[in-house]
Amino acid sequence: MNYNKDFEPEEDFEEMEMPTPCQKCGGWFDLNDGTASEKWFPRTVICSDCGEKEQNIIEIEQDIEDFIEEIDQAKDSITSAEQTIRVNTLKICALKEKLKLLEE
């Protein structure tokens, strides 16, 4: 990557087809080497280093959302299971009483 924070216009412009400042870090990069920003600057191209950081952040945030959803589903399952345990426990108690009456 032709990324350079200490941009020297005369030297670096010759190396780059389309020198572009990064919206995120302020460094210069060749536009062709950049990455489309999804989160920080939608519809803007940023340097590949910042693009990689942004993509990592997006992936981690998605992982967090996925885990929160899994936790919520697990809580719902636990609530449902606890309710089933209570109902079945009451049914067992009623059947034991019925059995006791039949055995007398």
Side-chain angles (χ1 to χ4, degrees):
M1 172 165 86
N2 291 328
Y3 167 75
N4 185 353
K5 280 192 175 194
D6 302 319
F7 182 68
E8 296 293 333
E10 291 178 19
E11 296 171 19
D12 291 338
F13 272 135
E14 291 175 14
E15 294 176 21
M16 296 183 199
E17 289 181 36
M18 297 184 345
T20 307
C22 179
Q23 292 282 86
K24 181 66 176 169
C25 69
W28 288 84
F29 66 99
D30 191 331
L31 184 60
N32 295 324
D33 296 333
T35 303
S37 176
E38 296 177 40
K39 178 180 175 69
W40 295 328
F41 306 99
R43 297 179 304 278
T44 302
V45 177
I46 56 178
C47 74
S48 60
D49 285 346
C50 289
E52 188 175 326
K53 288 177 188 174
E54 181 187 62
Q55 191 58 44
N56 288 335
I57 289 170
I58 290 169
E59 289 172 9
I60 290 171
E61 288 175 341
Q62 185 60 53
D63 288 345
I64 290 169
E65 288 178 25
D66 291 347
F67 288 132
I68 288 171
E69 186 176 324
E70 283 184 38
I71 289 169
D72 289 343
Q73 290 173 357
K75 285 179 180 178
D76 289 343
S77 294
I78 290 169
T79 299
S80 177
E82 287 173 339
Q83 185 176 25
T84 300
I85 290 169
R86 283 192 298 276
V87 168
N88 287 346
T89 300
L90 290 175
K91 287 179 182 177
I92 289 170
C93 289
L95 289 172
K96 283 182 177 179
E97 283 297 317
K98 193 173 189 178
L99 182 60
K100 184 178 177 184
L101 290 173
L102 289 172
E103 289 179 337
E104 293 178 354

